[in-house]
Amino acid sequence: MKRYPKQYIDGAWVESEGGTRHEVINPATEQPCTEITLGSAADVDKAVAAARRAFESFSQTSVEARIALLEAIMAEYKNRSADIAERIATEMGCPISMAATAQVGSGVGHLMAAIAALRDFRFEERIGANRVVHEPIGVVALITPWNWPMNQVLAKVAPALAAGNTMILKPSEEAPGSAAIFAEVIDKAGVPAGVFNLIQGDGPGVGTALARHPGIDMVSFTGSTRAGIQVAKNAADTVKRVHQELGGKSPNVILEGAPLDKAIPAGLMGVLINSGQSCIAPTRVLVHKSQHDEAVAIAKQVMEATETGDPMTEGRHIGPLVNKAQWEKVQGLIAKGVEEGATLEAGGPGRPEGVETGYFVKPTLFSNVRNDMRIAREEIFGPVVTIIPYENDEDAIRIANDTDYGLSAVVSGDPAKAKAFVPRLRAGMVYVNTGNPDPGLPFGGYKQSGNGREYGKYGLAEFMEVKSVIGDLG
Ligand SMILES: NC(=O)c1ccc[n+]([C@@H]2O[C@H](COP(=O)([O-])OP(=O)(O)OC[C@H]3O[C@@H](n4cnc5c(N)ncnc54)[C@H](O)[C@@H]3O)[C@@H](O)[C@H]2O)c1
C-alpha cells in the first residue's frame, strides 16, 4: 500500500485541514492499494491564496523561462516514468505494458506539444494602428478523471503553465497516486512555490469548492457529462471560464464495400484498449446491412481472442474495469442490451471464465443493434461493442449523428468516399481509417461532449485572455 497523506500547497507538502482518509482499491485484486487524504474547502482556500500570490510574478516570466521550466519537468517526469506507470496500472487496472508506453508517453507528448506551441505562439498582433495581446487568464483549477490519468493531467498542466498561469490540480480520487508522484516531479524540477498546487479530493468536496471559488478564474474539467454540467453550474455565479472535455459515444462508420478484415479489427482495437474506458472509443460500429453478418463474424473472432488478465503482467491482454461501481454499471447495460432484443454474439454477463476476483468484464459484442437502444445511446465505458446495420450512406450519417455526444467519429474504407462524410459528421475529431494522431492536434467535442479544445496551440489559447490595447504606446 502506498500512502500520500499530504497536499502540495505553496511549494511544500502539508497536512490537510479537516480532510478525510480515503483508500483506493486495486481493481484486479480488490485489495486497498493507495491511501490519500480527501482535502477540504480550507485546503482549497490555502492553495488559491498561494496561487494568487505566485501569479503576480509567474505571469510576467519570459517565454524562454517557461520553456526551460517545461523542459526541466519533462526530464524529471521521464526519470519517474516507471513509478508513474506502476501506480496507474495498480490503481486503474490498465496493463503495465500499456501504462508504461501509451499512458506515460502521452504525458511526454503534451509537454513537447506545449513547448512547441509556446515557441510559435504570437502573444501580440496588430490590428490597424492598435494591438491585441494574449495574457494568462490567472489562477486555474484543473479537474481530471482516472481513465488516462497522466494524459489528462499533462494535457492541462503543460499548456496552463506555458501560458503563465498558476494552478490547482484535483486529480480523480480513483487514481490519485500518479498525480502525487507528478507533484514530486514539479517540486524537483524547480517550479516556483505556489505555481502548481495539488489538492487530492472528490467531486462533492474539493471539486465543488474549486468550481465555486471566487479566487479562481477558470476551471478546466475532464470527466463525465453529468459532473461537467455540475461544474459549469457551480462556476456560473463567479463567471469563470469553464472548459469541458466530457463523454462520448463515437460511431465507426464502415463504408459500404470496405474491406472488413482490416476495418473491423482496427476499429475494435480503439474500443478494447484500456478495457473500453476511453472517451473516444468508437463503440457504435455502423455497417451496411449487406455486410452485417460478415462484420459480426470478424468482430466475434476479435472479441473472443481478446484475453483479460493481471495488469501487472506484460502482454497484450486487457485489464479489469476501474472499480466495482463501474463493473456493476456495465453488467446492468449488458443485461439491458439482451432485454431490448440485441443479439449477444460474444461475452455477456459475469466475469470471464475461471476469474473469481477483480472487476473483469468479458469482451462483449452485440449485433442487430438499433440506435435507440440504451447500449447504443449511453456511454458504457467497458469492452462492449454494438454493431448497427444501416440502409445507405444517408442513413449511416443520420445514425452517426443521432447521439447527444459529438467527441469523435471514425470513417473506415475508401478515403475518397470518406471525404464526403467528414463535413457531415458532427464531431470534434474525425479519424479516416486509423490515422496517426498528433498531440499538436486540437482535442475536444461538439454537443454534450464539451466546450473548448485541448492540446498544442489550441490548448494554449484556451488558457489565455485577450486584451485590446488601443492607442500609441510610443
Ligand atoms: N472528452 C475527454 O477528453 C475525456 C477524456 C477522458 C475521459 N472523459 C470522460 O470522463 C468520464 C470518466 O471519468 P470519471 O468517471 O472520472 O468522471 P467523473 O465525472 O466521475 O469524474 C471526473 C473528475 O471530476 C470530479 N468530479 C466529480 N463530480 C464533480 C463535481 N460535481 N464537481 C467537481 N468535480 C467533480 C471527480 O472527482 C474527478 O476528478 C467518462 O465520461 C469519459 O468519457 C472525457
Side-chain angles (χ1 to χ4, degrees), residues 143-148 152 170-174 201-204 206-208 211 221-228 230-231 234 245-248 278-279 326 379 381 407 443-444 449 454:
I143 302 179
T144 56
W146 49 264
N147 61 331
W148 284 84
Q152 284 125 2
K170 191 210 84 61
S172 169
E173 66 278 27
E174 303 288 342
D202 60 13
V206 173
T208 302
F221 175 87
T222 299
S224 60
T225 296
R226 172 201 61 77
Q230 207 49 55
V231 166
N234 284 331
E245 295 287 343
L246 309 176
S278 297
C279 49
Q326 191 58 27
E379 186 180 45
F381 240 50
L407 189 54
F443 187 101
S449 288
E454 292 198 300

Side-chain angles (χ1 to χ4, degrees), residues 180-253:
I181 298 171
F182 181 69
E184 293 171 5
V185 166
I186 287 278
D187 194 68
K188 188 90 184 282
V191 175
V195 169
F196 171 93
N197 304 273
L198 169 80
I199 309 278
Q200 301 281 11
D202 60 13
V206 173
T208 302
L210 288 169
R212 289 194 176 143
H213 205 291
I216 291 176
D217 301 286
M218 168 180 172
V219 185
S220 178
F221 175 87
T222 299
S224 60
T225 296
R226 172 201 61 77
I229 292 169
Q230 207 49 55
V231 166
K233 285 183 176 169
N234 284 331
D237 288 339
T238 46
V239 199
K240 290 181 179 65
R241 182 179 300 170
V242 179
H243 167 226
Q244 297 157 307
E245 295 287 343
L246 309 176
K249 191 72 188 174
S250 301
N252 178 359
V253 182

Side-chain angles (χ1 to χ4, degrees), residues 25-33 88-95 308-313 317-324 351 355-360:
I25 303 297
N26 176 329
T29 63
E30 301 184 35
Q31 296 302 311
C33 61
I88 292 176
T90 305
E91 293 175 353
M92 54 74 66
C94 152
T308 58
D310 178 6
M312 302 320 281
T313 309
H317 55 282
I318 62 170
L321 299 190
V322 67
N323 58 28
K324 187 160 186 257
R351 290 190 173 100
V355 176
E356 267 154 35
T357 308
Y359 307 123
F360 293 92

Side-chain angles (χ1 to χ4, degrees), residues 38-54:
L38 300 178
S40 63
D43 297 334
V44 171
D45 286 343
K46 271 191 209 154
V48 172
R52 286 242 77 91
R53 280 193 302 275

